């Protein structure tokens, strides 16, 4: 049994759980709604099942799943803008935050709403590379752009965020209840 | 991972953002959980048969095992896809009886199929019933209902007798340019053909719930 197939098997056994968690988080960041995020992830997995014969073992499962989800989101937004029914993270309303249950904090809302300061291209790169830890190459594959574009969007996004955190001081982004990272 | 890209202050921001987003996204719902288990199984199965380093004999055994594990697509599914391709997008007469004569349509098709049959309301997902027609299937007559979305896209609901009288879980598959969701409830076998797998899936979820409430699909 060679190392590569062992790695594939482990990838499926262990990592699919964390990939789905990541997809859900990314979908929530894009849609700012728990319900819509869950729909998006559900549709992503339905599509993955329908296309599972096209997935090449040994290639990057995470990038494949994120690509499916991102494309579904893009086509959803496109059909919404045709209907003139826009949504954006900066419009994050009480509906989305009320779902957060005990974590309904002004800080939590600020934190998620701060994504609205980024334009959609920068936001996607900050989320994929910064939040989800995808490599430049994976992010490029997911977004269907060259690696150089990922790098320049990332640096512009970083600049926007730096201005944001400078303006209000880093403390503002530290006070999130129940987090595992942070201080 | 994030250390490489962010100075300490931005790293703190990104870490907190990750926590806030996880809290916002919430736990994995059971529907997603079930799909995840299916996907893991499916990908593992494909991985086994594709292992090129295996001797051919082992690969064949694995392939046969896979065929037994993953049931082959039943024959009516292919008939449903053919009927969809042949009639649903016909510009002149996609249906024999239109939705304006609903009672007449349902009475006729129910008599031909030998049991009450109906077309569930799919307005909730933006699909309006155009009407229906009688088509043939290997096993006998079948009903084809055609729905249309606001942009001229059409989907087919195909209903035929299922004499094996087995119930089966819903399955969703791609077939070239269309996707098909199919299942059986012991009375009839059903297939929904649409362009996108998630449309087929959503329509199937509604249809299953409707037929469970009433065999006439109302």
């Amino acid at each position: 049994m060679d190392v590569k197939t062992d790695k594939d098997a482990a990838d499926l056994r262990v990592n699919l759980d964390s990939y789905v968690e990541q997809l859900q988080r990314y979908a929530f960041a894009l849609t700012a709604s728990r319900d819509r995020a869950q729909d998006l992830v559900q549709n992503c997995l339905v599509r993955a099942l329908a296309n599972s014969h096209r997935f090449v073992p040994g290639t990057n499962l995470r990038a494949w799943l994120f690509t499916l989800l991102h494309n579904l989101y893009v086509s959803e937004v496109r059909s919404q803008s045709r209907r003139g029914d826009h949504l954006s993270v900066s419009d994050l309303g009480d509906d989305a935050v009320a779902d957060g249950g005990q974590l309904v904090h002004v800080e939590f809302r600020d934190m998620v709403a701060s994504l609205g300061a980024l334009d959609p291209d920068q936001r996607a790169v900050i989320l994929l590379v910064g939040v989800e830890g995808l490599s430049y190459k994976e992010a490029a594959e997911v977004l269907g752009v060259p690696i150089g574009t990922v790098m320049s969007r990332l640096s512009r996004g970083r600049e926007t965020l730096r201005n944001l955190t400078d303006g209000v001081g880093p403390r503002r982004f530290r006070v999130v209840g129940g987090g595992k990272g942070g201080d | 991972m994030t250390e490489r890209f962010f100075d300490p202050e931005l790293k703190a921001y990104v870490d907190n953002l990750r926590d806030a987003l996880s809290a916002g996204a919430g736990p994995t719902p059971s529907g997603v959980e079930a799909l995840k288990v299916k996907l893991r199984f499916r990908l593992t199965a494909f991985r086994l048969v594709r292992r090129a380093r295996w001797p051919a004999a082992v690969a064949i055994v694995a392939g046969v095992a896979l065929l037994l594990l993953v049931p082959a697509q039943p024959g009516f599914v292919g008939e449903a896809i053919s009927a969809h391709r042949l009639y649903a997008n016909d510009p002149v007469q996609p249906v024999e009886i239109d939705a304006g004569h609903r009672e007449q349509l349902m009475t006729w098709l129910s008599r031909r199929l030998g049991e009450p049959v109906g077309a569930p309301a799919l307005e909730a997902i933006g699909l309006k019933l155009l009407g229906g027609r009688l088509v043939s299937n290997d096993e006998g007559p079948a009903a084809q209902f055609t729905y249309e979305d606001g942009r001229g896209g059409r989907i087919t609901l195909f209903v035929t007798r299922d004499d094996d009288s087995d119930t089966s879980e819903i399955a969703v598959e791609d077939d070239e340019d269309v996707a098909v969701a199919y299942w059986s409830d012991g009375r009839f076998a059903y297939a929904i053909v649409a362009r996108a797998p998630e449309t087929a899936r959503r329509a199937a979820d509604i249809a299953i719930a409707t037929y469970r409430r009433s065999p006439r699909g109302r």
Side-chain angles (χ1 to χ4, degrees):
Chain A
M1 190 150 303
D2 59 290
V3 178
K4 193 166 177 319
T5 41
D6 271 0
K7 194 183 151 293
D8 287 350
D11 198 40
L12 277 176
R13 220 172 24 246
V14 181
N15 294 336
L16 193 58
D17 288 340
S18 65
Y19 294 166
V20 169
E21 221 172 276
Q22 288 188 308
L23 291 169
Q24 217 167 293
R25 195 161 51 203
Y26 181 60
F28 178 73
L30 292 176
T31 59
S33 148
R34 182 178 287 190
D35 286 349
R36 298 183 38 147
Q38 290 182 349
D39 276 356
L40 206 49
V41 173
Q42 178 138 359
N43 289 338
C44 166
L45 294 186
V46 166
R47 188 161 278 214
L49 269 169
N51 288 290
S52 53
H53 57 286
R54 299 214 179 100
F55 176 73
V56 182
T59 61
N60 192 327
L61 179 62
R62 180 167 68 168
W64 187 66
L65 292 171
F66 267 91
T67 306
L68 291 175
L69 184 113
H70 190 86
N71 291 343
L72 281 169
Y73 170 72
V74 169
S75 61
E76 197 177 283
V77 168
R78 202 172 289 146
S79 69
Q80 264 157 7
S81 62
R82 260 206 302 271
R83 293 204 306 264
D85 155 27
H86 267 291
L87 111 151
S88 102
V89 187
S90 48
D91 298 337
L92 183 71
D94 289 336
D95 286 359
V97 180
D99 280 354
Q102 297 189 322
L103 284 165
V104 182
H105 291 311
V106 177
E107 293 82 5
F108 166 77
R109 192 186 310 219
D110 275 359
M111 185 54 77
V112 180
S114 67
L115 285 170
L118 298 163
D119 79 37
D121 287 343
Q122 294 173 13
R123 186 190 306 144
V125 174
I126 291 285
L127 289 168
L128 291 172
V129 176
V131 176
E132 304 306 342
L134 269 66
S135 67
Y136 291 160
K137 188 165 168 278
E138 285 176 297
E141 186 182 331
V142 171
L143 301 172
V145 298
I147 291 188
T149 308
V150 168
M151 290 162 80
S152 67
R153 284 179 189 174
L154 184 65
S155 90
R156 273 185 285 125
R158 242 179 343 214
E159 213 41 57
T160 312
L161 288 176
R162 205 170 280 134
N163 292 336
L164 200 68
T165 49
D166 280 353
V168 293
R171 293 293 320 161
R172 177 164 175 187
F173 295 119
R174 293 262 161 92
V175 207
V176 176
K180 57 181 179 345
D183 316 310
Chain B
M1 196 75 190
T2 52
E3 285 86 319
R4 283 192 285 140
F5 311 109
F6 298 103
D7 54 39
E9 196 171 300
L10 275 185
K11 185 178 179 306
Y13 165 79
V14 166
D15 286 345
N16 280 332
L17 178 61
R18 187 182 305 112
D19 292 339
L21 291 173
S22 293
T28 310
S30 58
V32 169
E33 200 61 48
L35 286 167
K36 184 173 78 186
V37 171
K38 267 193 195 167
L39 182 62
R40 179 180 293 127
F41 174 78
R42 193 75 75 83
L43 290 175
T44 310
F46 277 114
R47 193 179 60 82
L48 284 175
V49 280
R50 285 212 192 182
R51 281 172 67 161
R53 289 189 186 196
W54 280 24
V58 180
I60 289 165
V61 170
V64 171
L66 180 64
L67 285 177
L68 297 174
L69 285 170
V70 181
Q73 192 184 64
F76 76 89
V77 178
E79 301 285 347
I81 294 171
S82 304
H84 176 79
R85 291 215 169 99
L86 185 59
Y87 297 118
N89 292 308
D90 188 296
V92 181
Q93 203 176 5
V95 298
E96 282 171 307
I97 298 183
D98 64 39
H101 302 88
R102 192 181 179 107
E103 285 309 314
Q104 190 192 343
L105 172 66
M106 300 311 168
T107 309
W108 173 50
L109 291 175
S110 298
R111 199 176 61 238
R112 294 304 306 268
L113 268 68
E115 278 203 58
V117 66
L122 298 177
E123 272 89 358
I125 52 168
L127 292 166
K128 199 167 160 291
L129 182 68
L130 279 186
R133 61 163 65 238
L134 184 71
V135 287
S136 80
N137 174 34
D138 275 355
E139 315 258 328
Q144 178 183 16
F145 297 109
T146 302
Y147 294 76
E148 191 171 58
D149 65 22
R151 299 191 295 275
R154 288 179 184 166
I155 78 155
T156 286
L157 164 62
F158 185 92
V159 185
T160 186
R161 287 299 293 270
D162 182 16
D163 289 336
D164 297 343
S165 72
D166 265 352
T167 59
S168 73
E169 290 274 307
I170 179 168
V172 186
E173 283 167 22
D174 268 358
D175 189 291
E176 293 173 25
D177 56 330
V178 296
V180 57
Y182 60 90
W183 73 97
S184 304
D185 64 7
R187 207 166 64 95
F188 287 121
Y190 308 84
I192 290 181
V193 189
R195 188 171 285 276
E198 38 294 339
T199 309
R201 171 85 201 205
R202 274 190 199 143
D205 285 341
I206 296 175
I208 289 170
T210 312
Y211 287 127
R212 198 170 288 151
R213 261 196 326 271
S214 151
R216 285 180 195 279
R218 291 301 295 271

